[in-house]
Amino acid sequence: MASDAGAMNTAPTPVQAGAAPASAWRRWQGWQRWQRWDETLAGAALALMTLIPLLELALRPLLGRGVENAPVLVQHLGLLLAMAGALAAERHGHLTTLGSSLGQLGGTALRTVMQAALRVLAQGGAALVCGLLALASWRFVASEVEAAQALAYGIPVWWVQAAMPLGFALLGLRLGARCADHSPAASRWRWLPALLLPALGAALGARLDGSAAPLGPMVAGLLLMLLAGAPIFAVLGALALALFWSDALPLASVALSHYQITVNPSLPALPLFTLAGLVLARTGAAQRLGALFTALFGGGVGGTVLATAGLCSAFTAITGGSGVTILALGGLLLPLLRHAGYAEQRGIGLVTSASALGVLLAPSVPLIMYAVIARVPITDMFLAGLLPALVMVACLLLVGGFLRRDRGGEGSSASASASASAPAPVSALATRPDLRLALRVAWAAKWELAAPLVAIGSIVAGIATPTESAALTAAYAVATQALAHRELGWRRLGACLAECAQLIGGVMLILGMALALTNFLVDAGIPDRAVDWVQGAIPDRHLFLLALCLFLFAAAALMEIYAAIVVLVPLLLPLTRSYGIDPLHFGIIFLAAMEVGFLCPPAGMNLYFASAMFGKPIRYVAASVLPAVGAIFIGTVLIALWPALATGLPAWLAR
């Protein structure tokens, strides 16, 4: 998942000096504890999003009808989940940013001042933007109040829509309060920026709404905010607001875009598949699947490498987040690789890069997101990704050189020290594939192996819609891990719900703001102009495909994957169609190229997860994945030049 988590905000530290500041700090801590309602609300919304489709599936054949207006009800629960989850993500410091290293410049005194100034710029600017978004959302909701539409069971739609202005206002309060985190003495006054900055943003929006504003100074200020470490959603949202302002268009258009993406009919599949993946990642599923893959491929260097690549790719597809895969499997797979005689740095590179390759495998969330944005059948996207996923894994292992055996040097010393310091895992002792052992461990992992069949089979068989399939998969994961394996209790389930809410909340904020930006660009006719210009500059189709791969690689390094899908797909889809490229083919090219974004700074989240997981510097991890970057590019070009890899299987099954 594309962005799995952002840079962590610095948590406030208790005030040590003075009774008054300490008292203020205790009051603030009490307020923070009370604010955990966001996780409760988001978790409840996610649980209902799981239960309502299941009720619909059960009641339809029995009674001929199910829950009243169930699909729309689930979609609006997604809006509640998005806003409450975003609040929880901010509280835990999980809103995605590009980070900032500017505060490390100079001596100690200068560094302290720089860090404080950058925090004020980033968090204060984001609080200001949240005030603007709260005003824009309120104006949108006010127009819906007059329409007086009912959601279900007589509940007015605007009751749920009101979560948008309320959520942005609370986000503004929290981000404004973070401006005082740099100083214990200032923390007693944190309520001042918390109140003033969002209010100032709303007042500014009320004054300028409907009037043209200069675009240049706003864009310059947003660039500074981004470099200072402001949340990406705030920068994208402010840019969309600035563009609408520059054309004297109403600010409520931005709120409308956020509402449209959060209640998209296919979008509830995103949090539900993510929940299923997190449940599997937080229980013993990873160990059972790891034992199966190593039994199938053997415990030698070649077998362990194949098992690592296959397991990481499959696990990322199920969990929806490559960072989750690194955290769940890294501690299991790296010792296996080192015991087999694999160099430590190459092992870290393999785990980190292979975890990015599950994007093309069903039920990957980016696959679903592309299908939603491009309006192609989700089942066709699932089928289209199968062969290209195998091509990408093969390119990683062959072109990236990960199948090459180490000859002395680092590999030998690393494996020797690893063998001397720690016993080998049981699954690493068999150096050759063992069918009997594979059957035994496959039986132990039977519930996990059936999860993708539940997800994909229910859709292909026509039993369930994509949302109902996702709910069925989430419920299946919970039931099997809680009842069959007895590894999931109420506390761990609550932690999975909270973690899923934070991930989805942060992603949905980015998606909503990105869609507003895209809508403006589409209305301004940018795609049409791009088609005319590119066709004049690059008449050859194959040359265009190569240029497209290069462009997408550059975009992947700079943009979070979900934002890239929402912003770039509507702009590039008309262009690719003008060259006769099938939307399925383009989607697979797009997602294959986006895989490199997990490995390239500043947006490469896999680097940060791997650095934290393996205790290595970012530079060390980045060097370890360099061969994978070239391999992914070659794989993307192969998929681009050979359309049948993507379109052949769906076309064959359709006959």
Side-chain angles (χ1 to χ4, degrees):
M1 218 145 308
S3 143
D4 297 297
M8 304 291 287
N9 292 323
T10 303
T13 53
V15 177
Q16 300 295 331
S23 177
W25 170 252
R26 283 194 294 271
R27 288 196 298 271
W28 176 253
Q29 286 290 81
W31 168 249
Q32 289 285 76
R33 281 193 293 271
W34 181 83
Q35 281 183 316
R36 289 176 186 168
W37 61 268
D38 48 23
E39 286 183 11
T40 303
L41 178 59
L46 184 54
L48 286 173
M49 290 175 70
T50 307
L51 293 174
I52 290 174
L54 295 179
L55 284 174
E56 185 76 3
L57 273 173
L59 294 177
R60 258 197 326 246
L62 293 176
L63 304 178
R65 61 184 180 88
V67 179
E68 181 184 336
N69 215 11
V72 179
L73 192 59
V74 171
Q75 293 160 30
H76 283 76
L77 283 169
L79 175 60
L80 280 180
L81 168 64
M83 298 311 300
L87 287 166
E90 195 288 325
R91 185 161 51 80
H92 289 280
H94 292 166
L95 290 179
T96 304
T97 75
L98 293 185
S100 175
S101 58
L102 298 177
Q104 304 304 316
L105 302 176
T108 304
L110 179 60
R111 211 178 295 139
T112 303
V113 174
M114 282 284 289
Q115 288 174 349
L118 291 172
R119 182 177 288 109
V120 170
L121 176 60
Q123 308 299 333
L128 202 71
V129 173
C130 283
L132 284 164
L133 293 172
L135 174 69
S137 301
W138 173 247
R139 291 193 171 171
F140 165 71
V141 172
S143 66
E144 294 293 315
V145 171
E146 298 176 2
Q149 292 183 341
L151 179 61
Y153 302 104
I155 301 172
V157 174
W158 72 267
W159 283 12
V160 181
Q161 292 170 337
M164 290 168 56
L166 181 60
F168 282 122
L170 289 174
L171 266 178
L173 288 173
R174 293 185 177 182
L175 288 166
R178 293 222 180 246
C179 292
D181 285 352
H182 66 280
S183 169
S187 64
R188 64 185 300 181
W189 302 105
R190 65 192 308 153
W191 58 269
L192 193 58
L195 293 174
L196 288 182
L197 288 172
L200 181 60
L204 184 65
R207 182 175 181 83
L208 296 180
D209 196 9
S211 61
L215 187 60
M218 292 183 182
V219 173
L222 293 178
L223 182 60
L224 284 175
M225 279 177 54
L226 184 66
L227 294 176
I232 289 176
F233 90 88
V235 177
L236 287 175
L239 181 57
L241 289 167
L243 289 170
F244 278 98
W245 251 337
S246 67
D247 275 10
L249 296 173
L251 301 184
S253 303
V254 177
L256 174 61
S257 298
H258 182 63
Y259 174 70
Q260 286 174 335
I261 194 69
T262 49
V263 299
N264 185 288
S266 298
L267 210 66
L270 192 154
L272 294 173
F273 277 128
T274 302
L275 175 62
L278 284 172
V279 167
L280 294 177
R282 296 297 178 257
T283 54
Q287 286 72 21
R288 287 185 287 275
L289 291 173
L292 173 61
F293 273 75
T294 51
L296 285 172
F297 294 105
V301 173
T304 307
V305 168
L306 289 171
T308 298
L311 180 58
C312 288
S313 302
F315 207 74
T316 294
I318 296 172
T319 60
S322 55
V324 174
T325 299
I326 293 171
L327 296 178
L329 297 177
L332 171 73
L333 294 175
L334 186 60
L336 288 176
L337 289 165
R338 293 172 65 185
H339 178 79
Y342 209 65
E344 182 184 56
Q345 188 171 27
R346 292 181 65 217
I348 291 173
L350 176 61
V351 173
T352 306
S353 53
S355 297
L357 299 186
V359 169
L360 295 176
L361 287 171
S364 157
V365 173
L367 270 179
I368 298 170
M369 278 297 308
Y370 175 83
V372 170
I373 299 297
R375 298 181 181 179
V376 298
I378 290 178
T379 51
D380 286 354
M381 281 301 299
F382 283 176
L383 294 170
L386 289 175
L387 292 178
L390 295 177
V391 169
M392 296 300 284
V393 172
C395 283
L396 175 70
L397 297 180
L398 298 175
V399 180
F402 287 103
L403 274 180
R404 187 184 70 250
R405 295 176 180 271
D406 292 302
R407 296 179 180 177
E410 183 192 354
S412 300
S413 61
S415 61
S417 61
S419 301
S421 61
V426 174
S427 55
L429 297 178
T431 57
R432 295 182 179 181
D434 188 331
L435 182 59
R436 185 174 298 176
L437 176 62
L439 291 174
R440 190 163 65 247
V441 295
W443 179 252
K446 58 185 178 296
W447 301 112
E448 289 78 20
L449 293 174
L453 300 179
V454 172
I456 302 168
S458 57
I459 297 177
V460 174
I463 299 172
T465 66
T467 297
E468 291 169 347
S469 170
L472 195 62
T473 306
Y476 174 86
V478 170
T480 54
Q481 301 306 304
L483 302 177
H485 292 296
R486 299 186 181 277
E487 294 173 347
L488 185 70
W490 288 109
R491 179 170 296 184
R492 184 170 290 182
L493 176 59
C496 290
L497 287 169
E499 185 176 356
C500 181
Q502 292 174 46
L503 288 172
I504 297 304
V507 167
M508 292 306 299
L509 280 183
I510 293 174
L511 291 184
M513 301 303 104
L515 182 62
L517 182 60
T518 302
N519 286 342
F520 178 87
L521 296 176
V522 171
D523 291 342
I526 302 299
D528 297 332
R529 293 182 215 169
V531 169
D532 295 337
W533 183 84
V534 173
Q535 283 186 330
I538 311 176
D540 183 73
R541 182 176 185 270
H542 293 92
L543 190 58
F544 166 74
L545 285 170
L546 182 59
L548 177 66
C549 292
L550 289 169
F551 171 78
L552 291 176
F553 252 54
L558 298 173
M559 298 182 71
E560 196 267 345
I561 186 170
Y562 295 112
I565 292 172
V566 174
V567 172
L568 296 180
V569 168
L571 301 179
L572 294 176
L573 197 56
L575 180 60
T576 57
R577 279 179 171 149
S578 71
Y579 282 88
I581 299 171
D582 188 281
L584 281 178
H585 185 206
F586 168 61
I588 298 303
I589 297 171
F590 186 96
L591 294 175
M594 286 296 120
E595 289 178 340
V596 84
F598 293 110
L599 309 177
C600 293
M605 288 296 111
N606 279 24
L607 301 180
Y608 306 119
F609 277 101
S611 175
M613 178 69 202
F614 301 120
K616 300 293 182 181
I618 293 288
R619 185 177 300 175
Y620 181 92
V621 179
S624 74
V625 300
L626 277 178
V629 172
I632 291 174
F633 179 74
I634 291 174
T636 304
V637 172
L638 287 175
I639 293 168
L641 298 178
W642 194 359
L645 285 172
T647 59
L649 189 57
W652 180 72
L653 291 176
R655 286 202 295 259

